[in-house]
Each structure stands twice: as structure tokens, then as C-alpha cells.
Amino acid sequence: MINAVSVLIIACPCALGLATPMSIMVGTGRGATAGVLIKNAEALEVMEKVDTLVTDKTGTLTLGKPKLTEVVTAPGAEPDRILALGASLERASEHPLAAAIVAGAAARGLALSPVGEFESLTGRGVTGRIDEHRVAIGNRKLLQELDIALADLAPRAEALRADGRTVMFVAIDGKAAGLIGVADPIKDTTAQAIRELHAEGLQIVMLTGDNPTTAQAVARKLGIDRVVAEVLPQQKTEAVKRLQAEGRVVAMAATASTMPGPGAGAGGDRHGHRNRCCDGKRRHHAGER
């Protein structure tokens, strides 16, 4: 065999020299037609060694088109007012959960109000002033930062999360006034994709900004191996690095907007955008509000 290869190299050096770059060109070209962009040949080599896939939840495992499912109020509050205030704040946000709330208010024919002193708090929610009232909508972390007690809303929120819902609390003038539940259906193709990745020997890790209960509910349905929840965007690079510290070669699927910084690596798709792919590093990317 060694003699045969030696003769081949001596007799056909040009053919062998062209074979590798041509195969790379064909492979990257085929990938591009499928929406997968590959940075260089080293990235292809590293991808063969990947043993862990980190994935975002919203828009990657799910459709990324959440819908309003329920509005729960504290005693004395009106559901339509809670929804209208929440939608008024969320109208300025581009997050899919915000779009679901605004669409839910529109479906009920609710009028939205102008918002002053608007502030977006990444990974937590938004605040603003509406009709002389200080209003906030966001997750549990936001209300904790504002020193607002959840009171009777806490057990109802946990029940919704256990069913896979994402819950956002609405506070008015420093008091919890209600919560809004949103559901984002899992894609029809997700379960099969995860089974195929498991068959290839990959461990699947879901990295999400959502509540742990909601994240675990989705993970159980899909057979995901590990869940890292309540991760802020600026914490995602560290989450990927922790996996690498375990000796894992990590890739990630998510949108560009939810990826860690350039030091973390490569990426995928979350809301129908074309995938950015691999830079050849041993670390790749990370995703949510």
C-alpha cells in the first residue's frame, strides 16, 4: 500500500494537489445552497470533532412565533388593562415574546398607549411610564431588581412554566398586577433532529434565558441532555467556555443576535436567518431574553 501511494504521489502530484481544494469548494458550495456558510477548511475539520451541540430555545427548537395564551391578574386588576399596558411597553421591542403580546392585544381590540421614559433591560424586560403610572413587564429577575413581591402570582406562574409556557409579570407603580403567559410551539422537525444528533453521539445542551421550569419542560419533551437556564446574553460566552473546560468540543445553533462575542466561535439559525458557520476554533456560539 505504501509503495502504491508513493507511486501515485510521484506520478500525479497535480491531481492530488487539486483534489483537496476542489472537494472543499464543492462541499462549501453545497452547504451555501442549503443556507450553511462555512468560513474555512479548518472549520470543516473541527466540526468532525464536535461532541457537544449547544442550542438556543426560541426559534431554534421552537417556531419562534409565540402566541398569547393567558392573562392572570392580581386581586382588583382587570385582564384587558394588564394586557394593554404590557403591550404598550412591548410595542417598542423586537423580541418574539413582545410581538406575541402586542398581537394578543390587537386580537382583543385593545388600544395601546404612548410610553415615556422607556428602558429596555436585556435579559429581564422593559419599563416605562404610561398615563402617569410607572409600568414594568418582564421576568422574575426584573421584579426582584425592582423589589416587587410576586405574592399570589408566584404559584400560578410556576404551574404555567411546568406546562412549557413563558411567563412575564406586569407591575404597576411598584406592585405586581398580573402575569402574561406565552407559548411557543416546538417545531415539528426538532424531535427527529435531536434523535439523529444523539445517534451521531452528540450531547445536546439547551442554553436559554428562560425560566428553569419552562426550559426543563421543553427539554423533557425533546430528550435534551442538559439545560442551562436564566442565562443573560453577556453570560453565554462563559457558559460555552465552561463546557469547553470539561474537555468538550462545542458547536452552537442560534441566531446571530443571540450569539456570544467573537471570542466564542461559530453559529446557526434562529428566526429564519441564514446560518453563520464555523471559524475553526474549539468554541462556537451561544442564545434569549
Side-chain angles (χ1 to χ4, degrees), residues 55-62 64 66 95-97 121-125 139 141 164-168 182 184 206-211 214-215 218 228-236 252-260 270-271 286-289:
T55 176
D56 189 18
K57 180 174 72 67
T58 303
T60 304
L61 302 176
T62 65
H95 197 279
L97 298 178
L121 303 168
T122 302
R124 288 155 290 173
N139 57 26
K141 286 185 176 180
R165 304 283 201 275
T166 296
V167 173
M168 287 155 288
V182 173
D184 189 6
M206 182 167 70
L207 185 66
T208 175
D210 215 335
N211 179 274
T214 302
V218 174
V228 184
E230 291 188 335
V231 180
L232 297 177
Q234 61 268 28
Q235 298 172 328
K236 290 173 181 175
M252 180 157 188
T255 49
S257 62
T258 62
M259 294 292 183
R270 198 174 95 159
H271 299 307
E288 185 163 340
R289 163 164 146 187

Side-chain angles (χ1 to χ4, degrees), residues 154-272:
R156 184 61 190 275
E158 194 65 11
L160 292 174
R161 294 186 188 114
D163 195 37
R165 304 283 201 275
T166 296
V167 173
M168 287 155 288
F169 297 98
V170 178
I172 303 173
D173 295 329
K175 294 182 180 180
L179 64 81
I180 297 174
V182 173
D184 189 6
I186 295 171
K187 292 178 181 178
D188 293 337
T189 56
T190 298
Q192 179 62 29
I194 290 176
R195 286 194 293 268
E196 292 178 4
L197 290 167
H198 277 151
E200 294 290 335
L202 271 71
Q203 181 180 82
I204 311 300
V205 179
M206 182 167 70
L207 185 66
T208 175
D210 215 335
N211 179 274
T213 304
T214 302
Q216 289 289 353
V218 174
R220 282 193 299 271
K221 292 178 182 178
L222 295 173
I224 290 172
D225 303 295
R226 296 171 63 177
V227 174
V228 184
E230 291 188 335
V231 180
L232 297 177
Q234 61 268 28
Q235 298 172 328
K236 290 173 181 175
T237 297
E238 291 303 317
V240 173
K241 288 181 178 179
R242 284 195 295 272
L243 290 169
Q244 294 169 332
E246 298 175 8
R248 296 189 171 277
V249 182
V250 183
M252 180 157 188
T255 49
S257 62
T258 62
M259 294 292 183
D269 177 78
R270 198 174 95 159
H271 299 307

Side-chain angles (χ1 to χ4, degrees), residues 2-287:
I2 294 176
N3 291 336
V5 172
S6 299
V7 171
L8 182 62
I9 292 174
I10 294 171
C12 311
C14 294
L16 290 174
L18 290 172
T20 298
M22 287 183 65
S23 63
I24 292 173
M25 288 177 61
V26 172
T28 54
R30 290 291 298 275
T33 62
V36 180
L37 305 183
I38 301 169
K39 185 174 182 179
N40 53 35
E42 184 186 3
L44 288 174
E45 182 180 359
V46 172
M47 284 300 293
E48 189 273 332
K49 301 175 183 177
V50 167
D51 57 19
T52 302
L53 177 67
V54 176
T55 176
D56 189 18
K57 180 174 72 67
T58 303
T60 304
L61 302 176
T62 65
L63 290 173
K65 298 178 180 179
K67 295 183 179 180
L68 177 73
T69 55
E70 51 265 306
V71 179
V72 179
T73 63
E78 297 178 0
D80 282 355
R81 181 167 185 260
I82 296 300
L83 180 57
L85 290 173
S88 296
L89 278 176
E90 294 285 26
R91 182 169 47 176
S93 173
E94 296 180 351
H95 197 279
L97 298 178
I101 294 172
V102 174
R108 297 190 185 192
L110 303 179
L112 304 188
S113 304
V115 177
E117 301 177 23
F118 177 85
E119 183 178 7
S120 177
L121 303 168
T122 302
R124 288 155 290 173
V126 294
T127 65
R129 186 170 294 279
I130 302 175
D131 298 330
E132 303 304 319
H133 295 286
R134 191 68 186 170
V135 182
I137 179 171
N139 57 26
R140 181 179 56 187
K141 286 185 176 180
L142 176 62
L143 267 66
Q144 288 174 341
E145 289 182 10
L146 298 175
D147 197 25
I148 297 174
L150 297 179
D152 295 338
L153 295 174
R156 184 61 190 275
E158 194 65 11
L160 292 174
R161 294 186 188 114
D163 195 37
R165 304 283 201 275
T166 296
V167 173
M168 287 155 288
F169 297 98
V170 178
I172 303 173
D173 295 329
K175 294 182 180 180
L179 64 81
I180 297 174
V182 173
D184 189 6
I186 295 171
K187 292 178 181 178
D188 293 337
T189 56
T190 298
Q192 179 62 29
I194 290 176
R195 286 194 293 268
E196 292 178 4
L197 290 167
H198 277 151
E200 294 290 335
L202 271 71
Q203 181 180 82
I204 311 300
V205 179
M206 182 167 70
L207 185 66
T208 175
D210 215 335
N211 179 274
T213 304
T214 302
Q216 289 289 353
V218 174
R220 282 193 299 271
K221 292 178 182 178
L222 295 173
I224 290 172
D225 303 295
R226 296 171 63 177
V227 174
V228 184
E230 291 188 335
V231 180
L232 297 177
Q234 61 268 28
Q235 298 172 328
K236 290 173 181 175
T237 297
E238 291 303 317
V240 173
K241 288 181 178 179
R242 284 195 295 272
L243 290 169
Q244 294 169 332
E246 298 175 8
R248 296 189 171 277
V249 182
V250 183
M252 180 157 188
T255 49
S257 62
T258 62
M259 294 292 183
D269 177 78
R270 198 174 95 159
H271 299 307
H273 303 304
R274 282 198 164 187
N275 293 0
R276 299 184 305 166
C277 206
C278 313
D279 65 358
K281 300 285 193 300
R282 283 178 65 89
R283 45 190 185 275
H284 289 250
H285 269 143

